[in-house]
Amino acid sequence: MSHTSLFQRHLDMKKGQSRNSLKTFSSSGHSGVRQNYDDLVNDKLLIDCGEDQDCVLGGVVALGKFDALHIGHRELAMHASKAGTPFLLSFVGMAEVLGWTYRPPIVAQCDRKRVLSSWAPYCRNVVPLEYQVEFSKVRSLSPRQFVERLSKDLRIKGVVAGENYRFGYKASGDAAELVKLCEEFGLSAFIVRSVMDTAKRSHNGVAATINSSDKGQVSSSRVRHALAIGDMEYVSELLGRKHRLVLMVNQNCLHERKRIVLPNSCMLNMPPVEGLYENCDLVNGGYIGPCRVIINSDTIVIEMKDENSLSPNPIQEVRQLGIEFG
């Protein structure tokens, strides 16, 4: 074997050792057990960031569940943008881990980038970037361990969170502890006051009690409640935009001259309560036209107000339709 071949073999062996058996260190600096490379990759915090996990490197991240992407969430992104590109860390998979009953998302997954793009005017003309953290990977971490991972694994320089933010195992950490731990790890921490629901809507003269932690702040629970009673003006106030229901077009769709009928199984996010909605708009990436929408237990009926707004066969042209409720 040539000298070159021996040298290459040595490099390959070293590479294999470094990939398959990595020594880990505790926060005190003492070496621990060796960790298999595959386990290390599986332990990465960010789902959609790759092995290097450098997507938020040196940035300030907003922390939260960000289900509704409402005006309170937008406020967090706005504060994060003051330090550069705003990042959102969204925790996903909580319902499965905690055994919660499934609820459709308020914003369809395929529609989140559009919503975040609409926040650019509030974020110094920069579109916030969102990365997902699998909740099962952080559930058992203490508050200190969680902040340590943000600092050492993601190498961020700071965080933004709401004043009611809870984190760590069994939500044992609060905003005050977040500030303290960030100082310990050399991170900046910005705690943002909750955006309050100034509309203070009541129905039949009674203000709704959303949940035990509700203090009148804008929240995803408040948005869900507004959708459940069909108050779309209220929903728009909470979201800072019209609610868009995204529909996946399939072979079960029925298209008539000025009417489209789809089964409820086409819905990719939470609809308003069953009923008739007059002031709606149909979109498919671009604007199609005004419509009225009837939602019942089995179907969604879209009736165009202008029969010429539909192309001869719009169902064949798109895979998704969106209904925006006025």
Side-chain angles (χ1 to χ4, degrees), residues 146-200:
F146 175 69
V147 175
E148 182 178 23
R149 292 209 63 179
L150 291 180
S151 173
K152 296 186 176 181
D153 290 13
L154 302 186
R155 294 158 290 165
I156 62 174
K157 68 178 181 181
V159 301
V160 174
E163 61 182 345
N164 297 320
Y165 182 67
R166 308 290 304 193
F167 69 107
Y169 185 59
K170 294 187 176 180
S172 57
D174 59 12
E177 187 169 8
L178 179 63
V179 172
K180 179 181 177 182
L181 289 170
C182 283
E183 183 179 353
E184 178 182 340
F185 286 98
L187 304 178
S188 59
F190 305 90
I191 304 303
V192 180
R193 284 191 175 184
S194 299
V195 175
M196 303 307 291
D197 176 13
T198 56
K200 298 180 180 177

Side-chain angles (χ1 to χ4, degrees), residues 47-179:
I47 296 173
D48 42 3
C49 185
E51 293 181 4
D52 292 337
Q53 297 282 282
D54 59 357
C55 297
V56 296
L57 177 66
V60 174
V61 299
L63 301 172
K65 191 166 179 287
F66 301 118
D67 183 12
L69 294 177
H70 53 59
I71 57 176
H73 296 148
R74 190 180 69 193
E75 187 79 5
L76 295 180
M78 185 176 72
H79 280 270
S81 72
K82 295 177 181 179
T85 301
F87 297 104
L88 273 62
L89 290 192
S90 297
F91 298 90
V92 298
M94 296 181 70
E96 295 83 353
V97 172
L98 299 176
W100 295 345
T101 302
Y102 170 77
R103 298 186 301 179
I106 295 173
V107 182
Q109 185 63 38
C110 60
D111 197 36
R112 293 180 71 84
K113 287 185 178 180
R114 179 193 66 86
V115 174
L116 292 177
S117 295
S118 73
W119 289 4
Y122 301 89
C123 298
R124 304 190 177 209
N125 293 319
V126 177
V127 176
L129 300 177
E130 179 181 33
Y131 294 98
Q132 295 182 332
V133 178
E134 185 64 55
F135 179 67
S136 61
K137 294 181 180 179
V138 299
R139 180 196 184 190
S140 62
L141 298 180
S142 68
R144 189 178 190 281
Q145 289 172 325
F146 175 69
V147 175
E148 182 178 23
R149 292 209 63 179
L150 291 180
S151 173
K152 296 186 176 181
D153 290 13
L154 302 186
R155 294 158 290 165
I156 62 174
K157 68 178 181 181
V159 301
V160 174
E163 61 182 345
N164 297 320
Y165 182 67
R166 308 290 304 193
F167 69 107
Y169 185 59
K170 294 187 176 180
S172 57
D174 59 12
E177 187 169 8
L178 179 63
V179 172

